[in-house]
């Protein structure tokens, strides 16, 4: 189904709807909460705060559930339930307290290397925890679901750009756990009529232009924050993992998409589903590939700093080039990235770094 959505249609579908955002205290989740509130949704966040940040919730106007406080920003209320997806009873309780029109599911673990070391927590959280969420959807008749999947489900691509029909062959337990949950969604669709979009993100990057929310992982493994921290002198140097890849400059190529664009895609995806749109997987990327050295140069330009570089070994599980074929999201949702040129991405990430060099305040 093809559906070109104007802003009025999207607002009409979503305004006043109650939406559950799992992992709303995380990087992409917090940006999505902000976008959903801006379009007029009532949001409930479920997060265990194991990796998410209470400060991110405060920054996007989410109040603890049961608090009498009204949002200072005069938007519809947004409440927080501190709960763990692995606790089925706690998840059920959150559903019982609301009437959700849809779920946007970000909560999960997302580090390739960690998943190789400790696959158990990846399957427990991303698969078993996710199934608790799907069980609650079935019991509480919630039939619209947007899932944070990943281009890691494709593994090393046979060719780039990668279309949604490319076979899935994940290289890491992280990618496998995401592919398993995609399979569960398809089974829930067949058996219980759950409508879903599995968004396969390429490389999320950047930050809200306000600088109030942004990327903050511990440890930080992502390229752009690490280059910026090296530029600021927080890190002694940037380690580039591998310079002998079969790419023009020998470093890995990725497709970087601004987190604001990702957040907007979720708003569009949810409106599309609520409008009767078809279920399936959809890439979110720009179709433009940039190498590690391209990113390094973009960060040096933005920061006016010379970054010291050391070359290290290849990082296990890294594919040489991952670039999206972004046509489906454009055709189906009318989604075109607006902020994903590398200059804007890096400028917003740098603005965030300068405002909060140590990341979110704790608690
Ligand atoms: N990378 C790097 N040094 C770092 C972090 C990342 O060379 O400190 C490389 C990494 O090997 C990959 C690319 O940068 O080729 C993007 O990595 P990131 O972890 O940001 O995202 P991924 O593609 O793994 O999801």
């Amino acid at each position: 189904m093809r559906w070109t959505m104007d802003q009025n249609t999207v607002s009409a579908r979503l305004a006043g709807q109650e939406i559950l955002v799992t992992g709303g205290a995380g990087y992409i989740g917090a940006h999505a909460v902000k976008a959903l509130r801006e379009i007029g949704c009532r949001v409930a966040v479920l997060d265990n705060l194991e990796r998410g940040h209470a400060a991110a919730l405060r920054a996007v106007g989410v109040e603890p559930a049961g608090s009498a406080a009204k949002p200072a920003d005069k938007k519809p209320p947004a409440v927080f339930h501190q709960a763990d997806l692995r606790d089925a009873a706690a998840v059920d309780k959150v559903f019982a307290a609301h009437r959700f029109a849809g779920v946007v599911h970000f909560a999960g673990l997302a580090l390739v290397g960690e998943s190789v070391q400790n696959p158990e927590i990846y399957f427990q959280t991303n698969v078993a925890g996710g199934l608790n969420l799907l069980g609650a959807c079935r019991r509480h008749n919630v039939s619209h679901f947007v899932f944070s999947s990943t281009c890691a489900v494709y593994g090393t691509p046979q060719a780039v750009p990668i279309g949604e029909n490319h076979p899935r062959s994940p290289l890491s337990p992280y990618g496998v756990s995401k592919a398993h949950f995609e399979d569960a969604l398809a089974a829930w669709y067949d058996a219980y009529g759950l409508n879903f979009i599995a968004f396969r993100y390429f490389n999320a990057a950047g930050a809200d232009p306000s600088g109030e929310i942004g990327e903050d992982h511990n440890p930080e493994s992502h390229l752009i924050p690490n280059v910026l921290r090296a530029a600021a002198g927080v890190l002694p140097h940037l380690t580039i993992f591998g310079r002998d890849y079969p790419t023009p400059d020998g470093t890995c190529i990725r497709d970087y998409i601004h987190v604001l664009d990702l957040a907007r895609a979720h708003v569009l995806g949810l409106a599309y589903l609520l409008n009767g749109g078809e279920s399936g997987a959809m890439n979110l990327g720009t179709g433009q590939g940039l190498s590690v050295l391209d990113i390094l140069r973009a960060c040096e330009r933005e920061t006016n700093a010379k970054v010291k570089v050391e070359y290290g070994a290849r990082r296990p599980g890294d594919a040489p080039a991952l670039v999206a074929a972004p046509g489906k999201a454009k055709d189906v949702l009318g989604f075109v990235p607006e902020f994903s040129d590398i200059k804007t991405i890096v400028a917003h990430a740098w603005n965030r770094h300068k405002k909060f060099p140590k990341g979110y305040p704790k608690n």
Side-chain angles (χ1 to χ4, degrees):
M1 177 172 151
R2 198 184 165 95
W3 181 42
T4 309
M5 284 176 293
D6 57 48
Q7 189 69 10
N8 290 340
T9 320
V10 175
S11 304
R13 275 288 161 204
L14 290 176
Q17 301 281 13
E18 214 170 1
I19 304 298
L20 174 65
V21 180
T22 74
Y27 172 41
I28 306 171
H31 288 82
V33 168
K34 184 168 180 183
L36 287 165
R37 296 196 68 221
E38 274 165 4
I39 203 94
C41 291
R42 302 157 62 91
V43 172
V45 169
L46 183 158
D47 199 300
N48 64 4
L49 294 185
E50 212 175 271
R51 302 208 175 173
H53 304 274
L57 293 175
R58 287 194 294 276
V60 295
V62 178
E63 304 285 346
S67 126
K70 296 245 165 22
D73 54 17
K74 306 228 168 24
K75 294 198 179 80
V79 298
F80 174 50
H81 298 272
Q82 185 163 0
D84 194 307
L85 280 182
R86 292 163 295 186
D87 180 347
V91 174
D92 235 57
K93 222 167 127 189
V94 173
F95 275 72
H98 297 271
R99 284 181 65 82
F100 294 128
V103 173
V104 187
H105 176 36
F106 295 99
L109 302 179
L111 297 176
V112 169
E114 182 185 58
S115 80
V116 176
Q117 303 296 322
N118 194 356
E120 185 170 332
I121 58 172
Y122 276 72
F123 285 89
Q124 276 175 345
T125 302
N126 295 357
V127 181
L131 291 178
N132 287 336
L133 188 61
L134 288 183
C137 285
R138 184 174 58 74
R139 285 188 292 280
H140 295 269
N141 299 313
V142 178
S143 55
H144 300 96
F145 197 102
V146 176
F147 171 53
S148 286
S149 192
T150 167
C151 65
V153 298
Y154 296 118
T156 301
Q158 292 159 2
V160 288
I162 310 169
E164 288 83 358
N165 291 331
H166 186 286
R168 294 180 315 164
S169 183
L171 300 173
S172 67
Y174 163 63
V176 172
S177 71
K178 290 285 184 177
H180 278 1
F181 193 76
E182 286 191 354
D183 292 341
L185 286 171
W188 253 247
Y189 170 83
D190 287 338
Y192 310 123
L194 180 77
N195 303 294
F196 74 91
I197 295 180
F199 277 130
R200 294 178 180 155
Y201 312 153
F202 283 66
N203 285 57
D208 190 79
S210 69
E212 295 298 319
I213 48 176
E215 191 163 10
D216 182 352
H217 301 109
N218 186 17
E220 187 51 76
S221 64
H222 292 106
L223 179 61
I224 293 176
N226 280 348
V227 182
L228 294 178
R229 287 185 328 156
V234 180
L235 293 178
H237 59 263
L238 172 76
T239 305
I240 294 184
F241 303 130
R243 64 191 309 186
D244 57 351
Y245 282 98
T247 60
D249 67 22
T251 65
C252 287
I253 289 177
R254 294 289 180 271
D255 180 339
Y256 294 86
I257 178 161
H258 198 300
V259 66
L260 280 184
D261 286 325
L262 287 181
R264 197 167 44 85
H266 288 74
V267 171
L268 294 177
L270 201 53
Y272 172 75
L273 289 179
L274 289 169
N275 207 42
E278 275 170 27
S279 295
M282 214 177 274
N283 287 338
L284 290 179
T286 65
Q288 303 293 319
L290 294 174
S291 73
V292 173
L293 293 179
D294 291 332
I295 298 296
L296 174 71
R297 281 190 288 269
C299 292
E300 287 186 331
R301 272 196 299 275
E302 182 62 33
T303 59
N304 274 320
K306 181 88 194 117
V307 174
K308 190 163 175 278
V309 166
E310 291 197 355
Y311 284 91
R314 289 183 176 196
R315 193 170 66 175
D318 271 347
L322 293 170
V323 179
K328 184 173 176 187
K330 182 174 181 217
D331 290 347
V332 173
L333 301 180
F335 170 70
V336 179
E338 279 176 40
F339 301 98
S340 294
D341 60 285
I342 197 60
K343 191 172 176 353
T344 305
I345 286 177
V346 169
H348 289 169
W350 183 233
N351 176 51
R352 164 76 185 169
H353 177 90
K354 284 188 293 185
K355 263 198 164 159
F356 293 94
K358 296 201 165 98
Y360 287 111
K362 303 300 160 228
N363 305 316

